[in-house]
Structure formats: structure tokens, C-alpha cells
């Protein structure tokens, strides 16, 4: 319905991702003409953190402050900066070449884009996004040179921004260069496109990506409402091209911080052949503090899911340690040592069993 309002007449069934992107809302006055928002507040927030809501994602919003609204519409609480850092994971300190973040010896993050089809209000790289500073080809060359010169690097994770904002041709060139490096065994793409603008997953894109293996893709769905016919089709095209799909959901207050919602999301993902991979505990990133939830909430959600839904649907609950300490899995307390060789073990119903080694 709203797509009709913001695309030119006759284009409401547009599936061309670039048309949908050009029709995205970045201007607070345009947003105020469509949604019941406080125009002044949106102006204040977007001066610091830009907005981009494409028509596809806008159409997923059903009412004020619902899960898609919270992820897409600027909130005045983004300007509340107490107890937060722009870069709590110290990514800038771990940057060793343009766009290259190396936290582990065998893999690097390669930031190849500064823009996205939706500027998610909870983005952990909010400090970088939407500033209209494209990643220069020269920077990509330098990143590639760093990877080629370090043979301990076996895996490259393309991230950004969203790497699928690049043209098919640019992605083809980049993947070819990466797979030509003898020590690179695996490339992974981190993208929200299957969720926030599934029209980007075109047959021509899939033809390009399908030439390279092993190529994995991790996406980010945060609420069952985001699983639509269009997103299911996008995932099907990718899987049929031989690209395994995983999901890195972010635990977000007011979006998915209830076990029933999370369980429905995880089951829905498996149905569209996306393996729930991580459930990220939100990082204390400046501008996103209104999405924070206690660790206990995440552990309770994990406990509620385990044993009640298929193991295939269960992601690992991960905490990214501050200061660049890396990710650790958070596991509900199942094990307790009674004495040497005897363990007290809690099952998914909260009942205790003794296990002797
Ligand atoms: S698509 Fe990813 S990188 Fe872009 S704003 Fe959303 S979470 Fe951040």
C-alpha cells in the first residue's frame, strides 16, 4: 500500500532493486508525510545518524513502534549516549589495512561498502554508515594486497555496510581476485539484503555468486514478519546456486526479546533453508542503547528454545567481548561438578540428572 504512495504511478509492483533503492526515504519530511512521526525528532536524529527506508521494508511496518518500525524509523533515544561507545569492539584499533579488521589469525573482515538498503537503527557499525563516503577502488586494492601478503588468512568475511550494494560486476571482480589468492579457502558474505531488500537477489546476481565456491552467506532476520514470499524466493535462489545460508539474528528489545517470537523466527528461517547461526547479544554501541536487554533475558530465551524446538533451529547465543576480546558463546548453566567424575546436569525442563564419567 505504502509502496504506491512513494513510487511513481504504475511502479507499485516494481521488483527492480535499484528503483526500490532510489525511492527509499531519507528525508524526514517525506517520512512525516507517510508515518505518524515527530518530524523535529526525526530531523534531530538524522543529522547524526542517517535514515534510509526502502519501500519494500516500509511496507513491512504495520503500526507505530512495531518490530519493523523499531528497526527502521529513527528514535530520539538514539541521541542518548550514556554508557556507550562508538566502537566498543575496538574495530578501529584492529584495522590493519584499509577496510581490513583482523581479530583472529586465520580470518579477516573486509569492509567493502559503506551503504545499505536499510539503515538499521540498531547497527553495530553505526559510526560508519550512510556518510556518503564510498569505499574507493584504491582502498579495495590495498585490502586485497594485505590479504594476498598474509598466508595465515584462510577466510575472508565481506561486510560493510552491505557488500551486495556493490554492482554485480564489481562483486564478480572482487570474488575472482579473492579466490585467485592461493591461501584463501573460504569467502563469506554478510548481507541483510535477503531480509531488507530481497529484490536485490536477482538471477544475474545469483549467476555471478554461483561461480565461486565455497561461498557462504550470512544474513540477518530479526523478526518472523520479515519472512515473506519475497525473502523466501531470494533465499531459494541462493541455496539453489549452492550458497549455504546462515542467519545472525541480533537480540533487540521490543523486537524479538520474547521466547515465543524468537522460536517462531528460528523455525521460520529453517523453513526457508536458512540455518540460525548466531543470536548476538547487542553491543553497547552509541545510538543503539534503547535496544539493550539483560544477558539473563537472552539466556532465558535460549533455555526456552532448547529441547522445545529442533536443534537445527537453535543458534549459538554470542557475546562480543568489549575491547576487541572476540566472541564467546553464552550457554545456559547445564553442568555443575559435584565431585570428581560426577556431574549434576540440568535438562531443558530444568530437571537435574547425575552423570558419572
Ligand atoms: S544492513 Fe547491516 S551494516 Fe547495514 S545498517 Fe543494517 S545492520 Fe548495519
Amino acid at each position: 500500500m505504502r509502496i504506491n504512495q512513494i513510487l511513481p504511478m504504475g511502479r507499485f509492483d516494481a521488483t527492480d532493486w535499484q528503483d526500490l533503492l532510489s525511492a527509499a526515504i531519507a528525508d524526514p519530511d517525506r517520512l512525516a508525510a507517510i508515518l505518524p512521526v515527530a518530524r523535529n525528532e526525526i530531523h534531530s536524529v538524522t543529522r547524526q545518524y542517517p535514515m534510509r527506508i526502502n519501500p519494500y521494508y516500509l511496507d513491512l511496518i504495520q503500526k507505530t513502534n512495531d518490530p519493523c518500525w523499531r528497526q527502521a524509523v529513527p528514535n530520539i533515544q538514539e541521541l542518548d549516549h550514556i554508557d556507550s561507545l562508538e566502537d566498543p569492539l575496538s574495530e578501529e584499533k584492529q584495522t590493519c589495512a584499509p577496510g581490513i579488521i583482523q581479530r583472529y589469525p586465520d580470518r579477516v573482515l573486509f569492509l567493502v561498502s559503506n551503504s545499505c538498503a536499510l539503515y538499521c537503527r540498531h547497527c553495530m557499525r553505526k559510526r560508519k554508515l550512510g556518510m556518503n563516503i564510498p569505499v574507493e577502488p584504491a582502498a579495495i586494492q590495498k585490502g586485497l594486497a594485505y590479504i594476498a601478503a598474509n598466508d595465515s588468512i584462510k577466510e575472508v568475511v565481506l561486510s560493510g555496510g552491505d557488500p551486495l550494494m556493490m554492482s554485480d560486476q564489481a562483486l564478480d571482480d572482487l570474488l575472482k581476485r579473492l579466490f585467485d589468492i592461493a591461501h584463501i579457502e573460504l569467502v563469506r558474505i554478510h548481507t541483510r539484503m535477503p531480509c531488507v531488500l530481497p529484490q536485490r537477489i536477482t538471477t544475474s546476481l545469483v549467476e555471478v555468486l554461483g561461480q565461486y565456491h565455497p561461498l557462504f552467506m550470512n544474513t540477518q532476520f530479526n523478526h518472523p514478519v520479515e519472512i515473506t514470499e519475497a525473502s523466501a524466493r531470494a533465499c531459494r535462489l541462493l541455496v539453489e546456486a549452492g550458497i549455504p545460508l546462515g542467519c545472525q539474528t541480533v537480540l533487540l528489545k521490543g523486537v524479538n526479546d520474547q521466547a515465543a517470537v524468537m522460536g517462531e523466527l528460528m523455525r521460520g528461517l529453517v523453513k526457508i533453508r536458512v540455518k540460525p547461526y548466531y543470536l548476538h547479544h547487542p553491543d553497547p554501541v552509541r545510538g543503539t542503547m534503547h535496544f539493550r536487554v539483560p544477558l539473563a533475558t537472552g539466556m532465558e530465551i535460549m533455555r526456552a528454545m532448547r529441547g522445545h524446538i529442533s536443534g537445527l533451529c537453535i543458534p549459538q547465543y554470542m557475546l562480543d567481548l568489549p575491547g576487541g576480546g572476540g566472541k564467546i558463546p553464552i550457554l545456559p548453566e547445564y553442568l555443575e561438578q559435584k565431585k570428581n567424575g560426577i556431574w549434576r546436569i540440568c535438562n531443558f525442563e530444568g530437571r537435574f540428572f547425575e552423570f558419572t564419567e
Side-chain angles (χ1 to χ4, degrees):
M1 191 66 180
R2 288 188 209 99
I3 290 182
N4 292 343
Q5 285 174 262
I6 58 176
L7 282 178
M9 286 297 288
R11 298 300 311 277
F12 54 85
D13 60 348
T15 52
D16 185 277
W17 69 283
Q18 275 153 334
D19 285 352
L20 289 167
L21 258 190
S22 354
I25 296 177
D27 170 36
D29 294 332
R30 275 187 73 206
L31 185 70
I34 293 171
L35 295 183
V37 291
R39 183 189 308 249
N40 292 344
E41 291 187 4
I42 304 285
H43 269 288
S44 310
V45 177
T46 52
R47 271 194 281 274
Q48 191 159 351
Y49 301 119
M51 160 177 71
R52 177 180 280 162
I53 311 176
N54 71 64
Y56 170 79
Y57 201 83
L58 181 74
D59 219 42
L60 297 183
I61 296 174
Q62 296 304 311
K63 59 178 200 275
T64 305
N65 226 18
D66 74 9
C68 292
W69 173 300
R70 283 180 67 76
Q71 292 182 73
V73 176
N75 184 318
I76 195 67
Q77 290 174 286
E78 291 175 43
L79 302 180
D80 177 357
H81 288 168
I82 296 167
D83 291 337
S84 61
L85 293 168
E86 276 200 334
D87 178 20
L89 308 182
S90 299
E91 289 190 332
E92 298 298 337
K93 278 193 199 140
Q94 293 172 328
T95 297
C96 34
I100 300 278
I101 298 170
Q102 185 158 19
R103 195 180 286 167
Y104 307 100
D106 68 333
R107 71 211 100 126
V108 290
L109 259 182
F110 192 2
L111 309 184
V112 292
S113 158
N114 279 334
S115 64
C116 305
L118 173 80
Y119 289 140
C120 311
R121 308 323 297 172
H122 58 273
C123 180
M124 55 86 71
R125 225 164 267 140
K126 209 159 168 147
R127 68 186 188 280
K128 280 186 176 292
L129 294 180
M131 301 305 175
N132 288 326
I133 312 168
V135 176
E136 295 293 337
I140 294 194
Q141 296 307 325
K142 285 185 187 153
L144 283 165
Y146 177 87
I147 295 166
N150 289 279
D151 62 8
S152 64
I153 301 170
K154 307 294 179 210
E155 178 181 351
V156 177
V157 180
L158 299 178
S159 186
D162 198 315
L164 295 193
M165 290 292 281
M166 295 169 79
S167 68
D168 293 359
Q169 182 63 53
L171 279 164
D172 197 3
D173 292 344
L174 177 61
L175 289 169
K176 181 167 184 343
R177 299 279 304 274
L178 284 170
F179 278 101
D180 277 349
I181 300 172
H183 51 268
I184 293 305
E185 296 172 358
L186 171 64
V187 175
R188 203 189 328 166
I189 297 179
H190 279 186
T191 172
R192 267 207 100 178
M193 288 293 190
C195 171
V196 301
L197 187 61
Q199 293 79 2
R200 171 65 186 103
I201 313 302
T202 58
T203 47
S204 55
L205 172 71
V206 163
E207 266 169 35
V208 166
L209 302 182
Q211 301 170 90
Y212 300 98
H213 295 297
L215 178 66
F216 282 63
M217 188 177 280
N218 272 357
T219 183
Q220 184 195 127
F221 285 79
N222 294 325
H223 192 275
V225 162
E226 294 173 333
I227 300 176
T228 62
E229 259 179 50
S231 60
R233 175 187 172 274
C235 294
R236 178 174 57 74
L237 286 177
L238 290 162
V239 170
E240 286 174 356
I243 300 164
L245 296 178
C247 185
Q248 301 195 184
T249 295
V250 187
L251 177 58
L252 299 168
K253 186 173 179 180
V255 174
N256 56 17
D257 55 340
Q258 289 175 345
V261 171
M262 194 65 83
E264 188 186 342
L265 171 63
M266 298 303 157
R267 280 196 304 271
L269 286 171
V270 171
K271 276 194 213 155
I272 60 167
R273 294 190 272 179
V274 178
K275 168 76 184 91
Y277 176 59
Y278 282 164
L279 172 61
H280 285 284
H281 190 75
D283 303 309
V285 174
R286 187 158 295 167
T288 70
M289 297 303 276
H290 55 299
F291 287 109
R292 301 267 296 160
V293 292
L295 267 175
T297 303
M299 285 168 58
E300 198 41 55
I301 289 173
M302 292 302 294
R303 215 176 263 125
M305 286 196 295
R306 218 173 279 279
H308 294 277
I309 59 177
S310 157
L312 272 178
C313 302
I314 309 279
Q316 269 208 312
Y317 182 30
M318 302 299 285
L319 178 68
D320 229 319
L321 295 170
K327 292 187 187 63
I328 56 144
I330 305 169
L331 301 168
E333 270 318 314
Y334 279 117
L335 281 179
E336 181 190 311
Q337 192 161 30
K338 271 184 86 178
K339 52 184 169 181
N340 265 355
I342 302 183
W343 294 83
R344 194 168 177 253
I345 305 178
C346 180
N347 83 346
F348 67 94
E349 299 160 312
R351 290 195 292 138
F352 284 91
F353 297 81
E354 266 191 13
F355 174 82
T356 308
E357 279 177 316

